[in-house]
Amino acid sequence: MMLKKVLIAEDFESTNFSLQKLLEEFGVPVVDFVYYCDDAYSKLRNAIDENSPYDLLITDLNFEEDHYVQDLKSGEDLIKAAKKLQSNLKLLVFSANTKSGVVDRLAKNYNIDAFVRKARSDSKNLKYALEAIQNGERFFSEDLKNSVRKLNTFEFSNYDISLIDLLAKGIMVKEMPKVLEEKQIKPFGLSSIEKRISLLKDSLNLPNNAQLVAFCKDLGII
């Protein structure tokens, strides 16, 4: 597919203009940009209503908060809403937030087409990503693919993530059975919870719960 209409969601003006120039050089005839996620969603919706939908959304993940109150506060919020609105929309994430847990979640949950890290060589990788998308392929730079492979060797389950998230929120292990039961997350027996947390720490060679939480935050799992 040839990219004919692209929307950029990026809150830094200089980055926005650089992306516009790159897309124009790439031969995209219609390039629009916004600084806020809510505005991006409105443009996507209006384009569909006008029977002229966008082919591709390029978005950052982190947007600085200011006086403009938004419903969609992050690029991931925007991606989730955009996919519900237009399931065939191509998605390119352009962000400095390259934690392996974040990249993995976006790829698995939203089937993003490309992720380019904001860095010194990002212009080259953006071109590679655009070419891949036009050819119906996905693009993730080698460093991102390697970090996701490393993350997947740990095989965190949804249950594991739930336990670690509760630890991060300051919930005591002995209080977890009640919380998990209320959320209908099984198993919620205290013995099962203690064994799973212990197994996670042993497999990752981490001495305590605090370091387990810190490790998972660094990966972007929670």
Side-chain angles (χ1 to χ4, degrees):
M1 64 169 287
M2 293 300 294
L3 295 172
K4 298 178 181 178
K5 190 173 182 181
V6 177
L7 176 62
I8 303 165
E10 164 64 55
D11 58 350
F12 281 94
E13 188 176 60
S14 58
T15 305
N16 232 322
F17 288 150
S18 295
L19 284 170
Q20 288 178 71
K21 184 178 179 184
L22 176 67
L23 287 163
E24 288 166 2
E25 291 174 353
F26 197 77
V28 180
V30 179
V31 180
D32 295 324
F33 69 93
V34 293
Y35 297 111
Y36 298 97
C37 294
D38 282 2
D39 292 345
Y41 183 79
S42 294
K43 275 194 169 290
L44 291 169
R45 187 181 57 207
N46 291 339
I48 292 172
D49 290 342
E50 294 167 1
N51 201 29
S52 179
Y54 287 94
D55 302 313
L56 170 68
L57 168 65
I58 300 176
T59 182
D60 196 351
L61 292 178
N62 300 323
F63 288 75
E64 289 188 357
E65 292 189 20
D66 58 16
H67 64 281
Y68 188 84
V69 180
Q70 297 184 85
D71 291 323
L72 304 174
K73 300 182 185 300
S74 69
E76 186 167 350
D77 289 343
L78 172 60
I79 288 168
K80 183 178 180 180
K83 268 296 186 180
K84 287 183 178 179
L85 182 69
Q86 184 181 341
S87 61
N88 66 339
L89 179 67
K90 299 294 183 181
L91 296 166
L92 191 164
V93 176
F94 183 46
S95 177
N97 182 359
T98 56
K99 291 181 178 180
S100 51
V102 173
V103 179
D104 187 56
R105 183 171 66 249
L106 292 171
K108 288 179 177 176
N109 293 356
Y110 309 110
N111 198 32
I112 62 170
D113 298 277
F115 195 121
V116 175
R117 179 168 67 93
K118 287 183 177 179
R120 193 165 296 163
S121 60
D122 56 23
S123 180
K124 177 179 68 177
N125 281 330
L126 280 167
K127 290 178 182 177
Y128 289 153
L130 292 171
E131 288 171 357
I133 290 170
Q134 288 201 147
N135 292 326
E137 301 167 352
R138 302 172 83 191
F139 176 85
F140 296 82
S141 58
E142 283 303 315
D143 58 331
L144 293 179
K145 286 192 284 190
N146 289 335
S147 70
V148 170
R149 286 192 199 104
K150 183 179 178 182
L151 168 68
N152 287 333
T153 62
F154 298 126
E155 297 182 348
F156 289 98
S157 67
N158 290 333
Y159 181 71
D160 296 333
I161 295 170
S162 295
L163 296 181
I164 297 164
D165 187 53
L166 290 176
L167 287 173
K169 291 175 179 176
I171 305 296
M172 302 289 289
V173 173
K174 64 182 180 182
E175 298 170 346
M176 289 185 183
K178 182 180 179 182
V179 177
L180 293 180
E181 186 173 8
E182 289 173 351
K183 294 184 176 183
Q184 297 184 327
I185 298 174
K186 298 179 180 180
F188 47 73
L190 180 58
S191 177
S192 297
I193 294 169
E194 290 175 334
K195 287 179 181 178
R196 191 60 197 173
I197 292 174
S198 178
L199 180 62
L200 285 169
K201 289 187 293 188
D202 289 345
S203 63
L204 297 171
N205 196 27
L206 298 170
N208 54 53
N209 292 349
Q211 290 201 22
L212 174 61
V213 169
F215 177 84
C216 292
K217 282 184 176 179
D218 285 343
L219 285 178
I221 293 172
I222 58 171

